[in-house]
């Protein structure tokens, strides 16, 4: 009980103070733009928080349904991209030749702007669901591969030599030594890639899909000031999907690798 109250005081309470303070400042600036500065289209630039919250509540069913479509497709692409990234990292850790052949192309693939790639993929595939999965997977694989490779190579060489001295099989070295050591690096990549996968899925939806939070976002942006609160609601839902994906990866990391310093009660030794 004492530990829980300490966590609440040290982590949860500051978070709520920051959120409450941000909402108060947002509401005050919105009021000033509308009534003091009399800025044209003030509510389009920074709407009242309570009006956006009311819209979120009123259209919660639609937003949940479309947000679920976006999150589901981004999740499938994320899993495929993560699996490809892990496989590539393992292959590169096994062979310098494979690394020299694959790594430059993996880096070069990230030089292509997603904003330009998304309409190309959508134009080729002509399927909104498959396009979202491809883009989400494309965004995911590189940070996962890079961080996983770094984790696999972070193992103490003396530990590897010790296992070799006991005639351990290569798969045993990976399963018992390299994979556990690579978990922090792997989850660093996953936590970077998860929100990006959601963003990639929304970007494809803006190209003309039929379902997803990006579709509602584009439609309400097209209708202009009369749909300002709904547009901002979709923006917030998109942001919440990205935050939820990050928190989900953090939760899984806590369950899979609880020995890391940030998950210990006082940040001390194991």
């Amino acid at each position: 009980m004492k530990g829980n109250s300490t966590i609440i005081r040290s982590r949860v309470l500051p978070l709520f103070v920051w959120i409450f303070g941000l909402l108060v400042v947002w509401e005050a600036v919105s009021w000033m733009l509308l009534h003091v500065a009399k800025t044209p289209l003030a509510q389009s630039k920074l709407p009242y928080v309570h009006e956006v919250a009311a819209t979120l509540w009123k259209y919660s069913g639609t937003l949940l349904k479309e947000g679920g479509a976006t999150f589901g497709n981004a999740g499938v692409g994320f899993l495929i991209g993560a699996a490809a990234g892990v496989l590539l990292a393992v292959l590169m850790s096994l062979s310098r030749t494979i690394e020299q052949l694959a790594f430059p192309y993996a880096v070069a693939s990230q030089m292509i702007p997603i904003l330009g790639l998304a309409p190309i993929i959508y134009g080729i595939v002509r399927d909104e669901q498959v396009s979202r999965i491809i883009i989400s997977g494309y965004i995911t694989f590189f940070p996962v591969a890079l961080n996983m490779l770094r984790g696999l190579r972070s193992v103490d060489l003396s530990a590897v030599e010790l296992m070799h001295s006991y005639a351990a099989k290569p798969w045993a070295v990976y399963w018992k030594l390299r994979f556990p050591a690579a978990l922090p690096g792997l989850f660093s990549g996953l936590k970077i890639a998860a929100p990006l996968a959601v963003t990639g899925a929304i970007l494809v939806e803006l190209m003309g899909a039929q379902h997803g939070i990006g579709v509602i976002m584009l439609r309400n942006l097209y209708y202009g000031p009369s749909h300002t609160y709904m547009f901002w609601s979709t923006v917030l839902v998109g942001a919440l999907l990205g935050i939820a994906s990050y928190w989900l990866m953090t939760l899984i990391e806590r369950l899979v690798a609880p020995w890391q310093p940030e998950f210990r009660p006082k940040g001390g030794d194991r």
Side-chain angles (χ1 to χ4, degrees):
M1 292 296 291
K2 186 178 179 180
N4 291 336
S5 61
T6 301
I7 293 174
I8 291 173
R9 283 198 303 270
S10 63
R11 297 182 181 179
V12 179
L13 186 60
L15 177 63
F16 276 102
V17 170
W18 271 104
I19 293 175
F20 181 76
L22 179 63
L23 293 178
V24 170
V25 171
W26 182 345
E27 194 81 351
V29 174
S30 179
W31 181 84
M32 290 181 65
L33 288 175
L34 185 62
H35 296 287
V36 178
K38 299 188 183 302
T39 304
L41 302 175
Q43 286 296 284
S44 297
K45 296 173 181 174
L46 195 67
Y48 281 129
V49 175
H50 69 275
E51 293 286 0
V52 176
T55 305
L56 277 170
W57 176 258
K58 184 177 180 180
Y59 296 100
S60 58
T62 301
L63 292 171
L64 280 174
K65 179 183 176 183
E66 301 300 332
T70 300
F71 198 75
N73 287 294
V76 174
F78 173 78
L79 291 175
I80 295 173
V86 169
L87 178 61
L88 181 62
V90 172
L91 292 175
M92 289 192 295
S93 71
L94 285 169
S95 170
R96 288 284 183 185
T97 303
I98 294 177
E99 181 183 358
Q100 291 172 355
L101 288 173
F103 197 75
Y105 291 102
V107 174
S109 70
Q110 301 304 301
M111 301 297 110
I112 303 172
I114 296 298
L115 192 61
L117 184 63
I120 294 174
I121 296 295
Y122 187 77
I124 294 173
V125 178
R126 304 304 298 174
D127 184 302
E128 59 178 273
Q129 190 168 2
V130 176
S131 301
R132 282 180 286 193
I133 292 173
I134 291 175
I135 291 296
S136 297
Y138 171 81
I139 293 175
T140 300
F141 99 94
F142 183 73
V144 171
L146 184 63
N147 285 279
M148 181 73 181
L149 179 62
R150 181 177 298 175
L152 290 172
R153 291 195 169 148
S154 67
V155 179
D156 189 353
L157 290 179
S158 61
V160 178
E161 291 172 357
L162 178 63
M163 293 199 71
H164 286 162
S165 68
Y166 284 101
K169 301 290 184 183
W171 66 266
V173 175
Y174 269 83
W175 183 251
K176 296 182 178 179
L177 184 63
R178 290 193 184 275
F179 283 145
L183 284 178
L186 171 62
F187 278 100
S188 295
L190 292 175
K191 286 190 286 188
I192 293 171
L196 293 176
V198 174
T199 303
I202 293 176
L203 187 59
V204 173
E205 290 166 359
L206 296 177
M207 303 299 163
Q210 298 297 318
H211 299 286
I213 202 68
V215 177
I216 307 180
M217 187 185 298
L218 184 64
R219 287 174 183 170
N220 287 279
L221 181 63
Y222 176 77
Y223 290 132
S226 62
H227 289 68
T228 293
Y229 300 124
M230 190 61 181
F231 170 74
W232 276 80
S233 298
T234 60
V235 173
L236 288 179
V237 170
L240 290 174
L241 291 176
I243 294 171
S245 66
Y246 178 87
W247 281 353
L248 181 60
M249 289 301 105
T250 303
L251 176 62
I252 295 174
E253 182 184 19
R254 180 185 288 271
L255 296 174
V256 175
W259 61 82
Q260 297 185 69
E262 60 268 31
F263 298 141
R264 300 172 201 161
K266 295 182 181 179
D269 297 333
R270 297 183 187 180

